[in-house]
Structure formats: structure tokens, C-alpha cells
Amino acid sequence: MKKSKNKRLAIIIIFVFIIITLFVILLNNKKEPVSLTMWHVYGEQASSPMDKLVDDFNETVGSKEGIVINVTATSNSAEIGDELLDSQAGKSGAKKMPDLFFCHSGNADDLGSENLIDWQDYFTKEELSDYQKDFLEDGKVGDKLLVFPISKSTHMLFINGSMFARFSKDTGLDYEDLSTWDGFFDAAEIFYDWSDGKAFCAMDYILREIELACLSTNPNAKLHNDHGWYDENNKEFKKEFDKFMTSLVKGHIIVSDLYANTQMMTGESLAGISSSAAVLYYNDTVTYPDNRSEPMDLKVLALPISKGGNKVDTLAGTGLCAYKTTDEKAKAAAIFAKWITESQRNLDFVTKTGYMPVRNEAFNKVLSMEFENHDYKDLYHSLSKMEKDYSFLSESYDYNRVLNFYDWLRANQKSFEERYKSGEDVNSLIEECWEKLIG
């Protein structure tokens, strides 16, 4: 009996010893999670859609794979490039360089391609073929894919549908007349007379629209000289510049105060050309200076093209970069990049913000989505059609000089209109604008 008890006790001791040993082995083999810091540009508010996605990742795939992402800073697309350079240089007061961040390809180039991971090393060719080709090309610096597309925006023509209905009834013009720049400028002139001198359209990025009009008929045109600015001898660009400036100095179009939705929501202009992401900022109601109000009935159309030209539009927006440190962190970054751009997840994210999805499959699903908001429905219906036959072209120019030119146009566009009405030659006013641009 005593031997039997001793035998059972020995078995229990051995069993407990085995359990403790296995626990110690597992504890020693358990890897510390890979921790990645992130800076993003998707809003600084607590309910930022990117913050929510990061939380979802950490609680699901991150937990399973041993990856934790911490958002350590938020910024905006205009400022994050300089902030990253300050961090990289170790400037006093700058935050520590993040592992993951959102920026433009120009910012990535400034940081040095040798310091960033090439996403092509972590995605197979088959995986990359699922993404929009134009969007991938936009993220390349040389032959390296440094900026991975998460969401992209483009330029759209926004219309006050209520006002356009009255304008159309009186003039016979319809939305189809706005599909080319020639038709657009004709409509702008007719609207100016019809409305007793109101601008037809406010533009946020008039130089980019001039570039696109040029590229529509001259796809291989060189827009900038070796100094990254406009060449005074570029006849193709000058031809399109003159068309836009003719309409501007006559008062038919204007450069927006900053964003065209402001002028549209007060009835100052019938239309606006802005980023697709501007759909976020339109009200349902137009309130005119005399306090009359009516439904906006927003219509969102594709950007006009040059008559007989190719269908082209811009490609804007930041993408995801990963700073090169360890292979372990690079692999973790790739897992996050694949997760965040999974078709349905990416579609849910971008359609809340006016951006385009980055996967082919996601784009194909857009038309089958149900949108509670009419504005978003109209936007994504147009974007879905554009995806089939438009080419989306990368942007590249000196933003500071562009903004300075826009400020100058804003300050002078009303006086140009008055000078033209007083009898000054339209060509001399256009040349004044050209001289200011080329410096």
C-alpha cells in the first residue's frame, strides 16, 4: 500500500516537472512582438479612420503574427516630408524616425531610396498584378517601389445640379457639353452672360488642369525644364495655358479661395474642379448671398479632356513607406501593407473619404455598393467609369512656386476681369500671367 502511494506521488512529481519544463521552454521560446511606429496623414482627430484600422490590425493579424503598430504622430501631406527629413537628420526637437509613414514619392526620393524598403522584395509579381498599374508606377523612384498605394485621389468636376438645371433649361446645354475643354470654356462664357457676370467654375489646381489638357493631346510632352519649372519655349504647354487664361482674365473661371466647394456652397460659382476627396466637404444646401437656399443636388463628372485627345486625369495622394532597419521589421511592414489593402477592407476605407481603391478587384465592386449619400454615389459611379478608360498620371512640380502663382492669380483675377471689360487687350493680359509664371 505504501509502495503504491509512493509510486503515485512519484508519477505526480514527474508530471508536474514535465509541465513546468514545457512551460519554461515555451516561455523562453516566445518571441517579443515586432513593434513598428507609424506616422500618418489621415486626420488628427481621435476617430481617424487610419487609427481605427491600426487598432483592428493589432487585435487580429498583428496579435496572431506578433506585430504591434503604434501611431506616434499625425501630420498632413504638405508638411510630413519636411518633418521626416528633420527626423532623419536628428534635428533638435524632431521626433524619432518612424518605421512606417505616409508620404509622396518626391519625399521618398529626398529621404534616399537606399534608406527605404523596396516593396517589390516583399510582394510577388502575381500579388502586385492585383493592384492598379498606374498607382504602383506612381510610387516608384527609379525602378524601386518605395511608396506603396493605400488610397489615391484624382480631380473631378463638381456641379451645383440645381443651378445647372435652370441654366440648361434656358440655354440648351447639358452635362455632355462639359466633356471637353472646348465645350467647358464655351459653357463658361455662356454662363457668364446668363448669370450677369458670375464665374462658371472655381479651380483648385489650375496649373495641373493645364498640364493635363496638354498631355491629353501630347502624351509625350515634356512639361518642365531641367530646373523643374515651366519652359518659356514650350509651345504645346503655352497653347493650353492661353486657353485657360483667356477664360480667367475674362472672369469666366476663377482660381478658388483655397477650395472650390466654398464658392459653390455660396453660389459664387456653378462648378468647381477639385480633388475627389473634396466630396467630404460639400453641404447638401446652397445658401446664396441674399439668404435664399436650395438643395445642392451635387453632380460629379469626369474631368474634361482636350477634343480628340486621350482621357487622362491626375493621380494624387500619399502612399506607405517603410524605413529600412531590420529584415524582421520589413517583413512585418509587408504583412500590414497586404492586410490594409485587402480588397473589401480597402474599399470600405476609401469610400468613406472620397479616394480611389488600389486593387483591381475593389474597383470592380464599386458599382455594386450601396451608398447612403447621393454625393458619394455620384462620385464613385463616375470614378468607376473612369477606371475603365482613363489613364491616371503622376504629378511632379515645385509646390511652393505653384502656390505662389495661385496666390498671385487670386489677388489679381478680379482686376484682370475689370481691365478686360475696360477695353484692355486680352492677349496682353494673358502675357502678363505668362511672364509671372515663368519668372
Side-chain angles (χ1 to χ4, degrees):
M1 185 77 174
K2 188 175 181 181
K3 286 183 179 180
S4 177
K5 286 184 178 179
N6 289 339
K7 186 176 180 181
R8 286 200 298 271
L9 182 61
I11 291 171
I12 291 171
I13 291 171
I14 292 170
F15 180 75
V16 171
F17 177 77
I18 292 171
I19 293 297
I20 292 172
T21 302
L22 289 173
F23 179 77
V24 170
I25 291 171
L26 288 172
L27 196 62
N28 289 336
N29 287 341
K30 186 179 179 181
K31 293 182 179 179
E32 285 294 317
V34 179
S35 181
L36 301 175
T37 55
M38 176 194 280
W39 293 3
H40 71 71
V41 295
Y42 290 92
E44 299 181 8
Q45 67 275 25
S47 59
S48 163
M50 182 56 66
D51 287 349
K52 290 182 178 180
L53 278 174
V54 169
D55 288 342
D56 288 346
F57 175 82
N58 287 338
E59 292 169 6
T60 55
V61 173
S63 177
K64 180 181 177 182
E65 298 290 341
I67 303 167
V68 177
I69 296 176
N70 296 300
V71 175
T72 55
T74 55
S75 183
N76 60 67
S77 58
E79 297 178 358
I80 196 166
D82 289 337
E83 292 168 351
L84 288 165
L85 287 172
D86 288 347
S87 293
Q88 187 183 48
K91 286 191 176 181
S92 176
K95 294 183 176 71
K96 184 180 178 182
M97 192 71 186
D99 298 305
L100 294 171
F101 51 89
F102 288 82
C103 70
H104 296 286
S105 55
N107 304 135
D109 194 19
D110 292 340
L111 292 166
S113 60
E114 71 279 4
N115 296 316
L116 307 177
I117 74 165
D118 182 352
W119 294 106
Q120 293 169 126
D121 295 335
Y122 298 91
F123 283 73
T124 66
K125 288 184 178 180
E126 184 178 357
E127 286 176 324
L128 290 175
S129 69
D130 291 336
Y131 293 83
Q132 290 281 313
K133 185 178 179 181
D134 290 343
F135 297 5
L136 292 175
E137 289 299 316
D138 185 55
K140 286 187 176 180
V141 176
D143 60 353
K144 292 183 177 181
L145 179 57
L146 303 182
V147 185
F148 200 79
I150 303 298
S151 63
K152 288 292 179 184
S153 62
T154 192
H155 291 177
M156 307 296 290
L157 174 57
F158 294 87
I159 305 283
N160 174 341
S162 295
M163 191 190 296
F164 191 87
R166 296 192 297 276
F167 174 58
S168 176
K169 182 179 179 181
D170 290 347
T171 63
L173 293 176
D174 59 29
Y175 292 121
E176 187 60 32
D177 292 307
L178 307 179
S179 62
T180 67
W181 285 117
D182 287 347
F184 173 90
F185 290 129
D186 287 345
E189 182 173 10
I190 295 169
F191 177 81
Y192 184 83
D193 294 334
W194 178 83
S195 63
D196 295 326
K198 279 189 177 182
F200 175 69
C201 183
M203 294 189 175
D204 291 349
Y205 314 103
I206 193 168
L207 282 177
R208 184 53 176 165
E209 314 318 341
I210 297 170
E211 290 182 354
L212 291 167
C214 180
L215 292 169
S216 179
T217 52
N218 304 280
N220 298 316
K222 184 179 179 181
L223 296 173
H224 306 131
N225 57 28
D226 294 338
H227 302 291
W229 195 240
Y230 302 101
D231 191 332
E232 62 181 322
N233 298 315
N234 189 332
K235 294 180 180 179
E236 295 169 335
F237 179 79
K238 179 61 162 58
K239 178 182 176 182
E240 299 302 330
F241 180 89
D242 288 355
K243 290 180 182 178
F244 280 75
M245 289 303 112
T246 297
S247 192
L248 183 137
V249 300
K250 291 181 177 181
H252 301 167
I253 63 173
I254 55 174
V255 173
S256 65
D257 289 340
L258 186 57
Y259 298 112
N261 63 296
T262 303
Q263 273 101 330
M264 285 184 63
M265 291 189 299
T266 57
E268 185 180 342
S269 68
L270 180 147
I273 292 180
S274 305
S275 164
S276 55
V279 71
L280 282 163
Y281 305 106
Y282 279 90
N283 294 336
D284 295 334
T285 304
V286 185
T287 303
Y288 296 96
D290 61 2
N291 288 325
R292 281 187 309 112
S293 63
E294 66 178 343
M296 171 71 79
D297 189 23
L298 189 69
K299 305 297 181 186
V300 190
L301 309 181
L303 192 73
I305 62 169
S306 294
K307 189 174 182 179
N310 298 314
K311 294 182 177 181
V312 295
D313 204 337
T314 201
L315 191 58
T318 60
L320 183 67
C321 292
Y323 206 63
K324 191 181 289 184
T325 52
T326 67
D327 190 50
E328 190 178 35
K329 284 194 172 186
K331 289 177 180 176
I335 289 172
F336 176 71
K338 293 175 184 181
W339 178 87
I340 199 173
T341 55
E342 286 178 3
S343 180
Q344 191 59 48
R345 182 173 294 107
N346 185 235
L347 191 59
D348 291 341
F349 172 62
V350 300
T351 52
K352 292 181 176 71
T353 54
Y355 287 88
M356 295 184 286
V358 298
R359 282 187 184 262
N360 301 321
E361 181 187 359
F363 241 125
N364 292 335
K365 291 180 178 178
V366 167
L367 284 179
S368 63
M369 290 188 67
E370 293 185 7
F371 293 94
E372 293 181 8
N373 186 294
H374 164 80
D375 300 352
Y376 283 75
K377 181 179 180 180
D378 216 52
L379 168 66
Y380 282 99
H381 181 76
S382 292
L383 284 174
S384 183
K385 291 192 292 184
M386 289 170 67
E387 187 268 341
K388 305 300 181 188
D389 52 8
Y390 268 68
S391 295
F392 295 98
L393 308 180
S394 300
E395 301 177 341
S396 176
Y397 42 75
D398 187 326
Y399 285 93
N400 288 330
R401 292 185 72 177
V402 165
L403 293 177
N404 287 337
F405 182 66
Y406 289 170
D407 287 341
W408 183 82
L409 284 178
R410 286 189 193 99
N412 289 279
Q413 57 191 357
K414 191 63 181 176
S415 67
F416 284 141
E417 179 187 359
E418 292 169 354
R419 288 162 62 187
Y420 170 72
K421 287 164 70 174
S422 296
E424 281 198 47
D425 180 57
V426 66
N427 291 317
S428 66
L429 296 173
I430 293 168
E431 286 306 307
E432 190 174 328
C433 297
W434 178 248
E435 290 300 322
K436 180 63 179 180
L437 177 70
I438 62 174

